[in-house]
Amino acid sequence: MNITVYLGAHEGNDPSYRKAVEELGAWIAGNGNRLVYGGSDEGLMAVIADAVLSHGEVTGIEAQMFADQGVAHQGLTELVIVPDITERRTRMIELGDVFIAFPGGTGTLEEVSEVVSKICLNQLSQPCIFYNLNGFYDDMKAFLQRMINVGFSTSERQHGIYFASNLTEIEHIIATHQA
């Protein structure tokens, strides 16, 4: 299975993020899955790629502008350079069997927002899991619920969007979704 992970090009200021992303990477590789991610060799993006590469395969989809800045990870199983961010998002979605939004910045938010939108429009049936480590995505969860409460969305439209606070919950969501 291809697991597309969106996450930060920075490590953040809490060491628990690095530890959790290393565990996620080890889990992806240990279960015979392939990581699909943004292709960077910086921050948590590099950490997860390296964790998976020790026992598995990684496809990085990197925008030309970042490759030009020299931040594309050169040790990946497959590195695909695409013209721009829009094509990067499209390719990552096309390849994904599961989508995980790990804590990250505005780029992570941009990328996972398209996945959420496609799920709500019935253009994707794959699960989108917000890795709500240390409550990072509590506000996103509340915001999506607010959309339902005020009539801009429904729980039926948001079916397929999940929040998990740890790897065990992620495993359960994926297993349930595959059943």
Side-chain angles (χ1 to χ4, degrees), residues 11-12 19 44 50 57-58 63 74-77 79-80 94 98 103 111 117 131 133 140 159 176:
E11 286 198 30
K19 182 177 185 293
L44 293 177
D50 292 340
E57 296 184 340
V58 178
Q74 298 303 314
L76 304 178
T77 311
L79 176 63
V80 180
E94 287 173 351
V98 172
E111 292 173 327
S117 179
Y131 195 153
L133 185 65
M140 177 62 75
H159 181 75
T176 301

Side-chain angles (χ1 to χ4, degrees), residues 58-179:
V58 178
T59 297
I61 310 295
E62 185 66 278
Q64 185 67 56
M65 63 184 265
F66 295 127
D68 291 346
Q69 294 171 15
V71 299
H73 196 303
Q74 298 303 314
L76 304 178
T77 311
E78 178 183 21
L79 176 63
V80 180
I81 306 295
V82 294
D84 53 40
I85 297 287
T86 302
E87 180 66 18
R88 178 190 195 186
R89 284 194 322 265
T90 299
R91 294 290 298 276
M92 290 173 72
I93 290 170
E94 287 173 351
L95 293 173
D97 297 312
V98 172
F99 302 95
I100 298 174
F102 195 84
T106 54
T108 303
L109 178 61
E110 174 194 25
E111 292 173 327
V112 75
S113 292
E114 184 168 354
V115 173
V116 167
S117 179
K118 287 181 176 294
I119 287 171
C120 291
L121 294 170
N122 285 323
Q123 294 176 342
L124 282 178
S125 60
Q126 302 93 316
C128 176
I129 304 166
F130 285 87
Y131 195 153
N132 196 25
L133 185 65
N134 301 330
F136 186 84
Y137 284 114
D138 283 350
D139 293 333
M140 177 62 75
K141 187 175 186 178
F143 185 57
L144 290 171
Q145 183 59 51
R146 180 159 173 78
M147 289 177 186
I148 293 169
N149 294 347
V150 300
F152 288 121
S153 187
T154 65
S155 55
E156 293 79 22
R157 289 189 76 179
Q158 292 184 17
H159 181 75
I161 302 168
Y162 303 92
F163 290 83
S165 58
N166 57 54
L167 187 52
T168 302
E169 290 178 11
I170 289 172
E171 290 176 304
H172 177 73
I173 291 166
I174 292 171
T176 301
H177 199 272
Q178 289 177 330

